[in-house]
């Protein structure tokens, strides 16, 4: 079931949140497999390290500034993506923020709004704007979390639940174009976000993100494992 060694030679893939963490690991793995990666973060300066690592693999690489909390930035980023690549064979919507944790009733409503903008509303807007670029038979990965809809996880839980619903809807709405829309939960991985959510945890006990990218590569390489995948269970069946 795994396609760990799959080639993605020449596939044009947009990766959001590529400056660090899981998105950076996905971008590097794509570069190793020959993809042309379009990397985004709020500031292209943040992307310099990932871009260098992708370039070291010989990958073609473009950098695009994107702040998912800003509709203007999303529109400008989509236009810039269209300028650098006429078509996308893959999209990995990975960027996200944790936002305020704890019971929703106690959370600051503006902070909830910001997290929802990044984790949900901005993602819908970005997908709408880049939809004309997405090729038939493309793979679209929505990076979700086991916290989707989970009490105590605040705006993050709401945003991820919305993202998963979006994935189910687009899977049907784009079925005629054979676009594989798959929500992938990386599970706990050693990143800034994980450390923010679980400050009590020893990061050494959490797997590095590169160990959880296989299902993303497989979906982009042509597999359709269904609407939702747990990366920690990938390849175990
Ligand atoms: N780490 C885990 O254990 C875990 C578990 C389950 C799911 N996930 C999911 O995996 C994905 C990546 O998480 P991570 O752990 O790698 O987090 P991370 O290390 O905090 O990285 C988050 C990425 O999102 C980008 N980002 C943040 N705010 C943004 C905004 N307003 N607009 C555009 N980009 C923005 C960041 O880039 P800049 O700040 O440089 O702009 C960064 O590249 C997230 O969707 C997360 O929910 C993570």
């Amino acid at each position: 079931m795994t396609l760990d060694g799959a080639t993605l030679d020449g596939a044009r893939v947009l990766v959001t949140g590529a400056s660090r963490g899981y998105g950076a690991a996905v971008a590097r793995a794509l570069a190793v497999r020959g993809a042309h990666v379009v990397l985004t973060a709020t500031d292209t300066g943040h992307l310099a390290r990932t871009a260098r690592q992708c370039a070291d693999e010989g990958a073609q690489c473009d950098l695009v500034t994107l702040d998912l909390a800003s509709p203007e930035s999303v529109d400008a980023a989509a236009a810039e993506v269209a300028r650098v690549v006429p078509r996308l064979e893959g999209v990995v919507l990975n960027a996200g923020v944790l936002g305020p944790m704890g019971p929703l009733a106690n959370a600051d409503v503006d902070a909830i709004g910001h997290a929802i903008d990044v984790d949900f509303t901005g993602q819908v807007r970005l997908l709408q704007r880049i939809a004309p670029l997405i090729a038939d038979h493309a793979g679209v990965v929505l990076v979700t979390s086991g916290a989707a809809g989970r009490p105590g996880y605040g705006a993050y839980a709401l945003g991820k639940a919305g993202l998963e619903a979006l994935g189910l809807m687009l899977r049907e709405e784009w079925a005629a174009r054979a676009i594989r829309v798959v929500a992938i939960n990386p599970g706990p991985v050693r990143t800034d976000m994980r450390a923010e959510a679980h400050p009590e945890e020893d990061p050494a006990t959490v797997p590095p993100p590169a160990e959880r990218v296989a299902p993303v590569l497989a979906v982009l390489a042509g597999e359709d494992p269904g609407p939702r995948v747990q990366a920690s269970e990938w390849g175990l069946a």
Side-chain angles (χ1 to χ4, degrees), residues 71-72 74-75 120-130:
E72 296 76 23
V74 173
D75 292 354
F120 179 64
T121 317
Q123 318 263 359
V124 177
R125 190 177 185 100
L126 179 62
L127 264 184
Q128 273 198 341
R129 295 296 187 262
I130 62 172

Side-chain angles (χ1 to χ4, degrees), residues 16-214:
T16 69
S19 56
R20 51 200 159 88
Y22 192 61
V26 167
R28 286 191 296 268
L30 289 169
V32 167
R33 286 157 182 81
H36 172 172
V37 284
V38 182
L39 310 176
T40 80
T42 54
D43 180 335
T44 51
H46 295 178
L47 288 166
R49 189 175 49 171
T50 315
R52 214 170 30 248
Q53 291 165 336
C54 291
D56 285 348
E57 298 297 340
Q60 205 174 334
C61 176
D62 291 290
L63 309 188
V64 175
T65 302
L66 165 68
D67 180 356
L68 285 159
S70 156
E72 296 76 23
S73 172
V74 173
D75 292 354
E80 180 62 8
V81 173
R83 197 187 66 75
V84 296
V85 285
R87 273 274 171 280
L88 287 167
E89 284 78 28
V91 175
V92 183
L93 293 190
N94 159 84
V97 291
L98 209 49
M101 302 286 278
L104 268 178
N106 302 345
D108 175 77
V109 76
D110 291 334
I112 291 178
H114 179 264
I116 297 279
D117 283 348
V118 176
D119 293 340
F120 179 64
T121 317
Q123 318 263 359
V124 177
R125 190 177 185 100
L126 179 62
L127 264 184
Q128 273 198 341
R129 295 296 187 262
I130 62 172
L133 303 180
I134 299 176
D136 291 354
H137 303 279
V140 174
V141 172
L142 308 179
V143 178
T144 185
S145 165
R150 188 183 291 173
Y153 279 75
Y156 183 70
L158 285 177
K160 291 299 188 189
L163 195 67
E164 290 193 9
L166 173 70
L168 292 174
M169 292 164 72
L170 290 180
R171 227 180 129 76
E172 297 297 322
E173 292 173 12
W174 287 349
R177 296 178 55 200
I179 296 173
R180 303 172 301 285
V181 184
V182 182
I184 296 182
N185 171 18
V189 282
R190 195 186 306 155
T191 68
D192 294 345
M193 183 187 284
R194 179 74 191 179
E196 184 187 346
H198 296 278
E200 76 295 345
E201 185 177 73
D202 175 2
T205 62
V206 184
E211 287 185 11
R212 294 289 184 262
V213 301

